Amino acid sequence: MSPEDGRVEDDPSMRWNGWGDPAKAKDLPLAVRTLLPLLLGRIRKPEQAAALGEVVLGSSALDDDDLAAFQAAVGEQHVDRSDEARIRHAGGRSTPDLLRRRRIGQDAPDAVIRPADHDEVSACLRVAADRGVAVIPFGGGTSVVGALDPERGRHHAVVSLDLRRLSGLVRLDEVSGEAVLAAGTTGPEAEALLSAHGLELGHYPQSFRYATIGGFAAARSSGQNSAGNGRFDTMVTGIRVATPTGDIALGRSPGSAAGPDLIRVFLGSEGIFGVITEVAVRVHPIPRDRVFESWSFPDFVSGAEGLRHVAQHGNGPTVIRLSDEAETAVSLAQVGKIGKALAKGASVVTVYEGDDIAERRSRVSALLAAAGGVSAGEGAAEEWLKGRFDGPYLRDSLLDAGVFCETLETATTWSNLSTLRSAVEAALKDGFAQAGARSYVMCHVSHVYPTGASLYFTVLAGIRSDPLAVWEPVKASVNDAILAAGGTISHHHAVGRDHAAWLEHEIGETGIRILSAIKRELDPSEIMNPGAVIPIERTR
């Protein structure tokens, strides 16, 4: 990264068929390997995954004129039709994505285009619209809902528009506490650039090391500082977007009554209207102090009651998370505490940052204790913070061992939380049981609000047949169960293609018509991320 502008080329450390840095891939801990057969029965030996050099792709569908037009827009060296570049942009990092990445034959975009700035992005969109080429905006490649699938729609080709060259701090207003960042800036790059001025963004989703500022905005990301800077959309003060029919820049004042807030149209749009190129965000001084405390509860219900009181009182910890009995057991097993893992109980981690920590901690402690919590010291909370970005590495290790592992999330009101949790857990267990597979479902609350909370599920399953063929109907039944039980189809993973068919059930037929009308106006050729968010048949 250049110290002047933060620009980087592609980060080569992201594993092409897994998560993150290949050097950090690790075997399952012995305690987890011991526990898995007890939970799932005999584990099948997985098929050998294809090596990068063994993957077979079809020829690029871009003709010479297409290629020349894109090269004229960004420069010849920034249009890449190599097999490796296409494979590395062939989707996101969901479990289905990674299972498909293990196959010999794969779908992939026809080229990877790397614009350097807003004007080059606009030029690429004009080329794509003129030549009938679909465009998939690509930041860190961390989507887990199918938002990066190389879908052509009705077009003859599809390209991945890699935004990593759009990286750096565009402007910083230290007096106002506002920074403008280029969309391809990763989380670590943003924090490094801001820390030079004693400031931070403080948004830490699990994908932080690789995800980009534009991706945070496009997916309405929620970070792990759940009670602090959890929701990225609440931090955004302005946005710049290139669309196939024109550019738009929004956010000229901290508050406005000048019509509906169009910034919100693009937050969560996942590249279906255009490409976010710059994002203005609130920033704040780096906290000087940090204090940890973990808690144990008799069960999930009492822990959730404690979190509700904390959320409704306000001014609590920066992070507060509740793991149910099943997740607590596996977390303990990972560090070799098998005896404790077999005991019942839920757990909470809290992290305090900033000012008035002692006062806030005292108040929160009283609320958690009143709900049945017992302080368990700093250790578990500190360990969580150290490893909070490393969970996906364990998922890869499980897949390598033949264990299916996937996550999903939702949210609802406090009064409906237990009902929704039970409905999702039942749909997961029943779905796998119908396929003859044993499963183990874990749940945690990662974000709290005065009126409700999120629920984040992780499921392990011992599938003896094709995992994708088993998972797809299970996932569909879970989506149905979430909506039937009053939850949202996504709290922070977004919609992508995986949830698109269910969006109408949440926002209604009129809501879909509104989104479709915006898309027709901004993207009449339907080149932008076909099939994401809105099913293709509903965009016309």
Side-chain angles (χ1 to χ4, degrees), residues 105-349:
Q106 298 182 24
D107 292 329
D110 296 294
V112 178
I113 315 295
R114 298 183 175 92
D117 54 31
H118 178 92
D119 291 341
E120 288 192 1
V121 171
S122 294
C124 288
L125 298 189
R126 289 193 297 271
V127 170
D130 290 344
R131 307 201 64 81
V133 176
V135 176
I136 314 295
F138 193 101
T142 61
S143 169
V144 292
V145 291
L148 302 178
D149 292 354
E151 173 65 57
R152 289 168 171 75
R154 60 187 176 89
H155 307 291
H156 78 278
V158 56
V159 297
S160 176
L161 197 70
D162 188 318
L163 302 171
R164 289 289 289 110
R165 293 179 67 216
L166 277 75
S167 180
L169 182 61
V170 180
R171 287 190 306 281
L172 176 62
D173 183 343
E174 295 187 60
V175 173
S176 304
E178 183 180 64
V180 178
L181 292 154
T185 311
T186 66
E189 290 168 357
E191 296 299 351
L193 291 164
L194 292 170
S195 69
H197 303 272
L199 300 168
E200 72 163 9
L201 185 56
H203 183 72
Y204 299 108
Q206 194 170 62
S207 59
F208 168 76
R209 289 173 177 154
Y210 295 94
T212 61
I213 296 297
F216 292 162
R220 291 176 72 185
S221 167
S222 289
Q224 294 175 342
N225 281 9
S226 48
N229 299 296
R231 293 207 62 89
F232 191 73
D233 52 9
T234 66
M235 304 165 68
V236 174
T237 59
I239 203 164
R240 188 182 187 192
V241 185
T243 83
T245 55
D247 299 340
I248 187 167
L250 302 163
R252 63 188 301 157
S253 69
S256 173
D261 187 352
L262 293 181
I263 293 174
R264 309 299 144 184
V265 170
F266 296 98
L267 296 178
S269 61
E270 299 184 64
I272 66 169
F273 300 144
V275 179
I276 296 168
T277 60
E278 294 177 6
V279 184
V281 289
R282 287 195 300 271
V283 295
H284 55 268
I286 298 171
R288 290 176 299 175
D289 300 313
R290 177 182 284 162
V291 172
F292 306 90
E293 188 167 15
S294 54
W295 291 77
S296 61
F297 280 83
D299 50 40
F300 180 86
V301 173
S302 59
E305 186 68 1
L307 265 63
R308 179 177 73 84
H309 287 299
V310 171
Q312 291 178 343
H313 191 284
N315 197 27
T318 307
V319 176
I320 186 165
R321 296 167 65 90
L322 164 67
S323 294
D324 73 356
E325 296 88 335
E327 184 171 282
T328 298
V330 169
S331 296
L332 290 168
Q334 287 184 60
V335 293
K337 298 179 180 179
I338 289 291
K340 290 186 178 181
L342 296 176
K344 298 293 184 181
S347 58
V348 168
V349 298

Side-chain angles (χ1 to χ4, degrees), residues 406-419:
E406 182 59 306
T407 61
L408 56 97
E409 39 71 48
T410 181
T412 190
T413 57
W414 288 112
S415 61
N416 191 48
L417 198 70
S418 291
T419 298

Side-chain angles (χ1 to χ4, degrees), residues 30-50:
L30 176 60
V32 174
R33 295 202 306 272
T34 302
L35 192 59
L36 284 173
L38 301 176
L39 303 177
L40 305 176
R42 186 172 63 86
I43 307 300
R44 74 179 182 97
K45 185 177 180 179
E47 297 179 4
Q48 183 70 31

Side-chain angles (χ1 to χ4, degrees), residues 459-495:
V459 59
L460 310 180
I463 302 174
R464 299 181 185 277
S465 56
D466 178 4
L468 280 177
V470 172
W471 172 243
E472 287 171 359
V474 174
K475 173 68 171 174
S477 68
V478 170
N479 289 349
D480 290 341
I482 285 173
L483 293 172
T488 177
I489 198 62
S490 177
H491 173 261
H492 56 268
H493 283 172
V495 176

